[in-house]
Amino acid sequence: MFESAEIGHKIGKTAYREAVPLLRAALLGAQVDLHENKKIPVVVLISGQDGAGKGESINVLYEWMDPRFLSTLAFSEPSDEEHERPPMWRYWRSLPPKGRVGIFAGSWYSDPIRQRILDEISLKELDARADQINRFEAMLVNEGALVLKFWFHLTKEGQRKRLKALESDPHTAWRVTKWNWDRLKTYDQLQDVAGHFLRMTNTPWAPWVVVEGTDDRYRSLTVGKILLEALQKKLASTGKQESPVAPMVRVDTDGRNVLSELDLKLTLADKPYKSQLAKWQGRLSELARDPRFKGRSLVCAFEGADAAGKGGAIRRIGAALDARQYQVIPVAAPTEEERAQPYLWRFWRHLPRQGHIVIFDRTWYGRVLVERVEGFCAENDWLRAYTEINDFEHELADAGVIVVKFWLQISQEEQLKRFKEREKVEFKRFKITQEDWRNREKWAAYQQAICDMVERTSTGNAPWNVVEANDKNHARVKILRTLCDRLQVELDGKSMAQAKRGTNKSRKAGKRGDSAT
C-alpha cells in the first residue's frame, strides 16, 4: 500500500508560494460553511512513521484554518480513568461536534499496530480489531461525519535522513530521542504490520490516503487540497437522503411472541414481598462490596412501557447501594450538545469506572423504539442501530463491564389504570403527560418494535430480561434477584479483573514514545 508514496514528489518554493494563498482562502471558506451549517463533524487522522511530518502538518493546518473551530486530540499513555473503561471510550468522548474539525494525532489505530509489532496480539486478533474499527468508522459516516485518514510514509533511508536533519537543527533537535532511533530498527516490522492493517481498514467510506513525507511543501499542499476537496464535496451533498435498507418484516405466524407469552397475572403478596425485598437488597449490597467487583463495573439498562414501574424498581436497587458507588442517568430527548454528536456518544460518556455502577432510566434503545415508531429518525438509521448497539454492548462486555438489561411489560388495561391513578395523586401528576396518552394509540406499533428489539439485540453477553410488571411487588423482586444472580455468575466466573490488568500491562508496554503512529 506504500509503493505509490515512494515516487519522490517535490514542490518548488515558487510554486508553493503561489498555491498557498488560494488554498488557504478556499479552506477558510469551507470551514466557515461547515461552522455555520453545523450539519457534519470532520474527523482527520494523522498517522505515519516517525519524522514523516505529522506534527508539522498539524501546525500548517492551524496556520491555514481558523483555530477557533479546530481542535487537536493527542493520545499517549492512557490515564487511570481511561484504563478502567473500554479502550474506545477516550476516543468517543473526544469526537468533534457538528460544525468542527477534530484532528487526531494518534488514534484507534495506534494500539493495535504497536501490540502486533510487540507480538502481544496475533494476526487474527489484529484482523478482529480491524473489523471493529471498520464498523466504528462506518457508524461515524452514517451519522454524517467526514472521516479522513492520512498515513505519512518515508522509506527507511528517508526516515534516517529525516531524523538526522531534525537532530542537527538546534530548533528541532529536542524532537529526536534515543527511542526514535530505536524505532528505526523496527521499520520493516512496522511496514508489514501497518501495511496489512491499512489494507484491512481501507474502506470506501473511510479510505486511507498515503502521502510521501519527504518534502514538506508537497506534504502540506497534498493534505490541504485533499481536505478542501473532501469538505466541499461533503458540504454539497449534505441533506441528500440515501435510500433506506429494506426493512425487516416480522411475521408471528402462530400469533405468539416474546411478549404474548408472558404471564402478567404473576403476583407477590405484601408479606413475602417485604421479606424477599430485604433478602435480595442485602445480597446486592454484599455483591457490590465484593472485592472481586473492584475490577469490574456494572451497567443496568431499564426500558419498559410508560408507567411500567421503572422508577420504583431503580429506587429499590439504589436503596441497597452506597450512594457514592452508583449513578442514575435519566434519558430524555437529546440536548443540542448531544444532537451534535453520533447517537451513542451521550451513552459512552456516562460509562462507569471499575467498582462503580451506572443505571440508565431509558437507554440507547430509544432509537429502535420511540424514534422508530414516532418517526424521529430515518428508517435506515434505526435499521442500522441494531448492529451498532450490539457492537457497543460487545465492547463493554469485552472490557469487563457487566451489562444487565430489563424490559418491564404491563398490559394496556394496567397502564390505563396507572395513568388514571397518577392524575389523581398530587405528587405523581408530573409523571403523566399528553404524550403518554398519545403513545397509547400506537400500542401495537410499540409491541412490534419491542419484539424486534429483543430478537435482534438479546445476545450472550447482554441478554434481555423481560419482566412481568403488572404486579409491582413481583417485578421489583424479580429484577433484584435477576441482577444478583447475574453478578454472582460474573464474579464467580473467570477473573476479568486479572484479564483487565493483563491487558492494561500490555497496553502500557506498547505506549512508549510518540503515539501518532
Side-chain angles (χ1 to χ4, degrees):
M1 186 164 184
F2 300 125
E3 289 79 1
S4 62
E6 298 181 3
I7 298 175
H9 293 285
K10 195 174 181 64
I11 298 291
K13 291 183 180 179
T14 301
Y16 183 76
R17 284 198 299 267
E18 291 176 353
V20 167
L22 293 175
L23 179 58
R24 289 182 66 173
L27 275 171
L28 281 169
Q31 194 181 10
V32 168
D33 289 344
L34 175 73
H35 175 69
E36 290 180 348
N37 292 332
K38 287 185 171 58
K39 291 182 179 178
I40 63 168
V42 180
V43 176
V44 181
L45 307 189
I46 302 292
S47 302
Q49 277 115 342
D50 293 341
K54 299 185 290 289
E56 294 95 320
S57 296
I58 293 172
N59 289 337
V60 165
L61 290 178
Y62 266 90
E63 180 183 348
W64 290 355
M65 302 176 76
D66 191 331
R68 294 176 300 170
F69 314 123
L70 192 65
S71 57
T72 299
L73 299 310
F75 299 93
S76 55
E77 171 62 29
S79 65
D80 290 341
E81 184 184 25
E82 291 169 337
H83 272 310
E84 294 182 10
R85 290 180 170 89
M88 290 298 295
W89 179 75
R90 63 178 180 157
Y91 303 116
W92 267 94
R93 66 201 296 258
S94 301
L95 291 175
K98 293 176 182 178
R100 292 186 64 89
V101 179
I103 302 175
F104 285 72
S107 66
W108 39 91
Y109 287 93
S110 302
D111 276 355
I113 290 175
R114 283 205 192 84
Q115 288 172 345
R116 180 56 188 153
I117 289 174
L118 295 173
D119 203 27
E120 293 171 354
I121 60 174
S122 65
L123 183 60
K124 184 178 180 180
E125 290 171 317
L126 184 71
D127 289 348
R129 296 288 290 275
D131 187 51
Q132 180 189 43
I133 286 171
N134 287 341
R135 294 197 302 273
F136 170 66
E137 292 175 350
M139 178 279 304
L140 292 180
V141 172
N142 284 327
E143 290 283 342
L146 171 62
V147 179
L148 293 173
K149 304 185 299 192
F150 293 98
W151 181 274
F152 295 162
H153 175 68
L154 288 173
T155 63
K156 192 171 187 178
E157 183 58 30
Q159 186 175 14
R160 183 180 288 108
K161 289 181 179 178
R162 184 82 175 176
L163 291 175
K164 284 183 177 179
L166 291 170
E167 197 173 49
S168 63
D169 187 337
H171 296 96
T172 58
W174 60 272
R175 292 170 52 193
V176 182
T177 66
K178 181 180 181 299
W179 183 85
N180 295 117
W181 286 109
D182 288 340
R183 286 256 290 195
L184 187 61
K185 299 174 184 177
T186 63
Y187 178 90
D188 293 334
Q189 288 176 281
L190 176 61
Q191 287 292 96
D192 290 341
V193 174
H196 175 80
F197 205 42
L198 266 61
R199 282 191 295 273
M200 294 293 290
T201 56
N202 188 47
T203 60
W205 54 87
W208 279 100
V209 180
V210 181
V211 181
E212 184 181 355
T214 305
D215 184 71
D216 291 345
R217 292 187 288 271
Y218 168 79
R219 185 188 61 246
S220 298
L221 283 181
T222 300
V223 171
K225 287 181 178 179
I226 290 173
L227 175 58
L228 173 62
E229 290 174 6
L231 263 173
Q232 291 175 333
K233 183 178 179 180
K234 184 69 175 177
L235 289 169
S237 66
T238 299
K240 294 180 180 179
Q241 184 68 37
E242 296 180 2
S243 300
V245 181
M248 174 188 65
V249 178
R250 156 178 279 278
V251 178
D252 298 316
T253 308
D254 59 358
R256 301 169 63 189
N257 57 52
V258 68
L259 299 181
S260 68
E261 294 305 291
L262 292 176
D263 184 0
L264 297 181
K265 296 179 181 178
L266 291 173
T267 62
L268 184 62
D270 288 344
K271 187 174 181 179
Y273 165 69
K274 292 178 181 178
S275 174
Q276 290 290 303
L277 181 67
K279 172 186 174 180
W280 292 110
Q281 284 181 327
R283 185 64 187 133
L284 178 58
S285 178
E286 291 174 356
L287 290 166
R289 290 182 284 111
D290 190 307
R292 294 172 294 177
F293 186 64
K294 292 181 180 178
R296 306 294 297 272
S297 57
L298 172 65
V299 167
C300 288
F302 277 87
E303 289 285 359
D306 294 331
K310 295 183 297 298
I314 290 170
R315 285 194 294 275
R316 270 64 183 182
I317 292 175
L321 302 172
D322 185 330
R324 297 167 294 182
Q325 190 182 17
Y326 79 97
Q327 184 179 13
V328 178
I329 306 296
V331 176
T335 64
E336 286 298 321
E337 180 188 25
E338 291 166 342
R339 276 196 287 267
Q341 295 284 0
Y343 177 74
L344 288 171
W345 177 83
R346 62 176 176 154
F347 305 106
W348 271 95
R349 68 194 302 207
H350 291 301
L351 294 182
R353 299 186 70 163
Q354 290 176 3
H356 288 74
I357 299 166
V358 166
I359 303 171
F360 286 92
D361 184 354
R362 296 206 182 277
T363 69
W364 41 97
Y365 285 96
R367 173 139 290 185
V368 298
L369 292 174
V370 64
E371 291 192 22
R372 165 186 170 172
V373 175
E374 301 296 337
F376 294 154
C377 68
E379 186 177 59
N380 48 333
D381 288 332
W382 64 258
L383 281 168
R384 64 181 168 82
Y386 295 114
T387 300
E388 292 171 2
I389 286 170
N390 285 337
D391 286 343
F392 169 51
E393 292 174 353
H394 177 78
E395 288 189 58
L396 299 190
D398 199 44
V401 182
I402 304 167
V403 182
V404 186
K405 305 184 299 194
F406 295 101
W407 174 267
L408 279 62
Q409 180 68 14
I410 57 176
S411 65
Q412 278 186 287
E413 295 75 21
E414 179 63 24
Q415 185 185 61
L416 179 60
K417 175 185 172 183
R418 294 184 185 182
F419 277 12
K420 290 181 176 179
E421 288 176 351
R422 285 182 173 183
E423 288 184 327
K424 294 176 183 177
V425 179
E426 188 67 32
F427 63 86
K428 288 187 177 181
R429 286 182 180 176
F430 75 95
K431 290 185 175 183
I432 187 74
T433 66
Q434 285 302 313
E435 184 177 342
D436 296 319
W437 286 106
R438 188 170 59 251
N439 287 345
R440 277 181 57 81
E441 299 174 4
K442 299 181 179 179
W443 180 271
Y446 273 104
Q447 300 302 289
Q448 172 81 38
I450 295 159
C451 290
D452 290 345
M453 174 193 75
V454 172
E455 181 177 284
R456 303 193 70 178
T457 61
S458 193
T459 62
N461 288 328
W464 274 103
N465 299 283
V466 183
V467 180
E468 307 87 345
N470 266 13
D471 181 73
K472 293 181 180 180
N473 290 354
H474 166 79
R476 291 166 183 173
V477 169
K478 180 174 179 177
I479 288 167
L480 282 164
R481 183 178 67 246
T482 301
L483 185 55
C484 290
D485 288 346
R486 177 68 185 282
L487 281 172
Q488 187 72 63
V489 168
E490 291 284 346
L491 296 181
D492 285 345
K494 179 182 176 182
S495 174
M496 289 297 295
Q498 292 178 359
K500 181 69 175 175
R501 284 195 292 271
T503 301
N504 288 345
K505 184 177 180 181
S506 297
R507 291 169 70 191
K508 289 180 180 179
K511 283 286 184 180
R512 297 186 292 271
D514 181 12
S515 66
T517 297

